[in-house]
Amino acid sequence: LPLADWITQFAGDNIRLQIAIAHVGFNLVTTLLLLPLSGVLEKLAYLLVRGEDKPLEPMRLKYFDSRLLSTPPVAVEQLFKEVMRMADIVMTNYHFAMDYFFSPKSMDPSEFDNREEVIDFLNEEITRELIEVKGLQLSTGDVHLTGSLFHVVNDLERVGDHAENILEYGEFGGDAPPFSDSALTELRDMGDRVLKIIDESIDYFLHRHPDKELSGAILAQEEEIDDLVVELRNHHVERLGKMECTPAVGMLYVDILTDLERVSDHATNIMYAAYDNDGA
């Protein structure tokens, strides 16, 4: 085909325009040729690249924008939403870490790593914006809420760190945790108890208004967990005495118990933050 002649007729002696027309024409022809084959190309791509694309948590604030500082009540409310988003990510990582610890290591920890980076990012960004908001003209209620958000963000970040520790303990165990059946049962029970208290504490703070009956139940759970930790450590000493586990594995068991106990403590702190929010 006399393509060069056709392009010259349209563009004349303008070399830049000739190049532009040639480029656009090439793309149009290629698109028209490949469009009927889109289904075949899609199937070919699935065959060549196995697996599914996993959505990553965005490294940004989703609800807050610095322009909201001109309207302090809205800014406080949007930062509260960011903290609740952070809480959801932390809970997802806690679930993942516990599942990873007890399950064969077919799970991909890259998702966990992405969320952990987002947790650290949100901790810094939310804290920075809370400092900005703190200097604005706020109502009494917003002053209390802003102050409590400082504490909740810090406690959530620490829960995320303990979840990261648990994930690393799972990597130490290889394909299966190196514990006896009784030790695994104890750790599963403790993990479920801690999950319950952190979930209830976050939900408690989400509703903002203290409920003495519910807060009492959360405190009772925290005391039960503390007592259970002492009991499980005694069980651990008995297993060591019977040579049912090695000292290295025994230290790992104690480390996990410590992390779970600390998560319970941070959960209680989050519950107490609801009282700060209410001005109590």
Side-chain angles (χ1 to χ4, degrees), residues 166-184:
I166 294 170
L167 185 84
E168 292 174 355
Y169 301 148
E171 293 174 343
F172 173 85
D175 290 337
F179 298 110
S180 64
D181 291 341
S182 60
L184 285 175

mmCIF file of all heavy atoms in Angstrom, residues 166-184:
data_model
loop_
_atom_site.group_PDB
_atom_site.id
_atom_site.type_symbol
_atom_site.label_atom_id
_atom_site.label_comp_id
_atom_site.label_asym_id
_atom_site.label_seq_id
_atom_site.Cartn_x
_atom_site.Cartn_y
_atom_site.Cartn_z
ATOM 1 N N ILE A 166 3.694 -12.869 65.982
ATOM 2 C CA ILE A 166 3.064 -14.187 65.888
ATOM 3 C C ILE A 166 3.290 -14.793 64.510
ATOM 4 O O ILE A 166 3.526 -15.999 64.369
ATOM 5 C CB ILE A 166 1.559 -14.078 66.212
ATOM 6 C CG1 ILE A 166 1.368 -13.666 67.683
ATOM 7 C CG2 ILE A 166 0.831 -15.395 65.936
ATOM 8 C CD1 ILE A 166 -0.052 -13.307 68.050
ATOM 9 N N LEU A 167 3.218 -13.962 63.479
ATOM 10 C CA LEU A 167 3.497 -14.442 62.126
ATOM 11 C C LEU A 167 4.924 -14.989 62.034
ATOM 12 O O LEU A 167 5.158 -16.048 61.430
ATOM 13 C CB LEU A 167 3.295 -13.308 61.121
ATOM 14 C CG LEU A 167 3.445 -13.709 59.650
ATOM 15 C CD1 LEU A 167 2.143 -14.278 59.131
ATOM 16 C CD2 LEU A 167 3.857 -12.513 58.799
ATOM 17 N N GLU A 168 5.859 -14.288 62.629
ATOM 18 C CA GLU A 168 7.258 -14.735 62.600
ATOM 19 C C GLU A 168 7.436 -16.040 63.369
ATOM 20 O O GLU A 168 8.237 -16.892 62.972
ATOM 21 C CB GLU A 168 8.161 -13.643 63.177
ATOM 22 C CG GLU A 168 8.240 -12.400 62.289
ATOM 23 C CD GLU A 168 9.025 -11.270 62.922
ATOM 24 O OE1 GLU A 168 9.434 -11.424 64.101
ATOM 25 O OE2 GLU A 168 9.216 -10.234 62.264
ATOM 26 N N TYR A 169 6.681 -16.223 64.457
ATOM 27 C CA TYR A 169 6.742 -17.486 65.180
ATOM 28 C C TYR A 169 6.258 -18.631 64.281
ATOM 29 O O TYR A 169 6.783 -19.744 64.334
ATOM 30 C CB TYR A 169 5.872 -17.440 66.437
ATOM 31 C CG TYR A 169 6.251 -16.358 67.425
ATOM 32 C CD1 TYR A 169 5.278 -15.750 68.219
ATOM 33 C CD2 TYR A 169 7.570 -15.926 67.567
ATOM 34 C CE1 TYR A 169 5.615 -14.756 69.127
ATOM 35 C CE2 TYR A 169 7.914 -14.932 68.480
ATOM 36 C CZ TYR A 169 6.928 -14.351 69.246
ATOM 37 O OH TYR A 169 7.254 -13.365 70.132
ATOM 38 N N GLY A 170 5.250 -18.351 63.465
ATOM 39 C CA GLY A 170 4.757 -19.353 62.546
ATOM 40 C C GLY A 170 5.806 -19.746 61.527
ATOM 41 O O GLY A 170 5.915 -20.918 61.147
ATOM 42 N N GLU A 171 6.587 -18.788 61.077
ATOM 43 C CA GLU A 171 7.661 -19.084 60.122
ATOM 44 C C GLU A 171 8.741 -19.947 60.769
ATOM 45 O O GLU A 171 9.355 -20.785 60.113
ATOM 46 C CB GLU A 171 8.263 -17.773 59.608
ATOM 47 C CG GLU A 171 7.297 -16.967 58.742
ATOM 48 C CD GLU A 171 7.854 -15.605 58.355
ATOM 49 O OE1 GLU A 171 8.824 -15.161 59.021
ATOM 50 O OE2 GLU A 171 7.316 -14.988 57.419
ATOM 51 N N PHE A 172 8.934 -19.783 62.066
ATOM 52 C CA PHE A 172 9.913 -20.593 62.797
ATOM 53 C C PHE A 172 9.509 -22.062 62.806
ATOM 54 O O PHE A 172 10.343 -22.953 62.732
ATOM 55 C CB PHE A 172 10.040 -20.086 64.239
ATOM 56 C CG PHE A 172 10.899 -20.953 65.125
ATOM 57 C CD1 PHE A 172 12.279 -20.793 65.145
ATOM 58 C CD2 PHE A 172 10.336 -21.926 65.941
ATOM 59 C CE1 PHE A 172 13.070 -21.591 65.961
ATOM 60 C CE2 PHE A 172 11.130 -22.728 66.761
ATOM 61 C CZ PHE A 172 12.497 -22.549 66.766
ATOM 62 N N GLY A 173 8.192 -22.322 62.856
ATOM 63 C CA GLY A 173 7.709 -23.689 62.982
ATOM 64 C C GLY A 173 7.718 -24.481 61.691
ATOM 65 O O GLY A 173 7.462 -25.690 61.720
ATOM 66 N N GLY A 174 7.976 -23.857 60.560
ATOM 67 C CA GLY A 174 7.954 -24.588 59.290
ATOM 68 C C GLY A 174 6.542 -24.916 58.860
ATOM 69 O O GLY A 174 5.636 -24.088 58.963
ATOM 70 N N ASP A 175 6.315 -26.148 58.399
ATOM 71 C CA ASP A 175 4.997 -26.532 57.888
ATOM 72 C C ASP A 175 3.975 -26.762 58.989
ATOM 73 O O ASP A 175 2.771 -26.772 58.742
ATOM 74 C CB ASP A 175 5.107 -27.808 57.044
ATOM 75 C CG ASP A 175 5.827 -27.535 55.725
ATOM 76 O OD1 ASP A 175 5.828 -26.367 55.299
ATOM 77 O OD2 ASP A 175 6.392 -28.480 55.159
ATOM 78 N N ALA A 176 4.412 -26.990 60.215
ATOM 79 C CA ALA A 176 3.486 -27.235 61.322
ATOM 80 C C ALA A 176 4.114 -26.717 62.614
ATOM 81 O O ALA A 176 5.330 -26.791 62.797
ATOM 82 C CB ALA A 176 3.172 -28.723 61.442
ATOM 83 N N PRO A 177 3.298 -26.179 63.558
ATOM 84 C CA PRO A 177 3.835 -25.678 64.822
ATOM 85 C C PRO A 177 4.522 -26.802 65.595
ATOM 86 O O PRO A 177 3.992 -27.916 65.674
ATOM 87 C CB PRO A 177 2.583 -25.182 65.566
ATOM 88 C CG PRO A 177 1.566 -24.958 64.503
ATOM 89 C CD PRO A 177 1.845 -25.984 63.453
ATOM 90 N N PRO A 178 5.703 -26.535 66.184
ATOM 91 C CA PRO A 178 6.473 -27.589 66.866
ATOM 92 C C PRO A 178 6.027 -27.816 68.300
ATOM 93 O O PRO A 178 6.854 -27.889 69.220
ATOM 94 C CB PRO A 178 7.899 -27.034 66.802
ATOM 95 C CG PRO A 178 7.708 -25.556 66.909
ATOM 96 C CD PRO A 178 6.421 -25.255 66.169
ATOM 97 N N PHE A 179 4.701 -27.933 68.531
ATOM 98 C CA PHE A 179 4.186 -28.073 69.886
ATOM 99 C C PHE A 179 3.407 -29.368 70.038
ATOM 100 O O PHE A 179 2.939 -29.961 69.058
ATOM 101 C CB PHE A 179 3.277 -26.893 70.239
ATOM 102 C CG PHE A 179 3.954 -25.550 70.222
ATOM 103 C CD1 PHE A 179 3.663 -24.623 69.251
ATOM 104 C CD2 PHE A 179 4.895 -25.232 71.185
ATOM 105 C CE1 PHE A 179 4.288 -23.393 69.229
ATOM 106 C CE2 PHE A 179 5.539 -24.001 71.178
ATOM 107 C CZ PHE A 179 5.232 -23.076 70.192
ATOM 108 N N SER A 180 3.239 -29.778 71.280
ATOM 109 C CA SER A 180 2.402 -30.936 71.570
ATOM 110 C C SER A 180 0.943 -30.573 71.331
ATOM 111 O O SER A 180 0.575 -29.393 71.235
ATOM 112 C CB SER A 180 2.595 -31.374 73.026
ATOM 113 O OG SER A 180 2.155 -30.344 73.902
ATOM 114 N N ASP A 181 0.087 -31.582 71.257
ATOM 115 C CA ASP A 181 -1.337 -31.337 71.028
ATOM 116 C C ASP A 181 -1.944 -30.495 72.146
ATOM 117 O O ASP A 181 -2.771 -29.610 71.895
ATOM 118 C CB ASP A 181 -2.083 -32.667 70.907
ATOM 119 C CG ASP A 181 -1.732 -33.422 69.631
ATOM 120 O OD1 ASP A 181 -1.219 -32.771 68.695
ATOM 121 O OD2 ASP A 181 -1.971 -34.646 69.578
ATOM 122 N N SER A 182 -1.530 -30.760 73.375
ATOM 123 C CA SER A 182 -2.080 -29.994 74.507
ATOM 124 C C SER A 182 -1.661 -28.527 74.434
ATOM 125 O O SER A 182 -2.466 -27.621 74.704
ATOM 126 C CB SER A 182 -1.619 -30.604 75.830
ATOM 127 O OG SER A 182 -0.200 -30.587 75.926
ATOM 128 N N ALA A 183 -0.408 -28.286 74.044
ATOM 129 C CA ALA A 183 0.064 -26.899 73.929
ATOM 130 C C ALA A 183 -0.665 -26.177 72.808
ATOM 131 O O ALA A 183 -1.040 -24.995 72.950
ATOM 132 C CB ALA A 183 1.566 -26.877 73.672
ATOM 133 N N LEU A 184 -0.894 -26.856 71.691
ATOM 134 C CA LEU A 184 -1.618 -26.243 70.579
ATOM 135 C C LEU A 184 -3.050 -25.912 70.976
ATOM 136 O O LEU A 184 -3.579 -24.851 70.620
ATOM 137 C CB LEU A 184 -1.607 -27.177 69.366
ATOM 138 C CG LEU A 184 -0.298 -27.265 68.582
ATOM 139 C CD1 LEU A 184 -0.407 -28.312 67.490
ATOM 140 C CD2 LEU A 184 0.067 -25.917 67.982
#
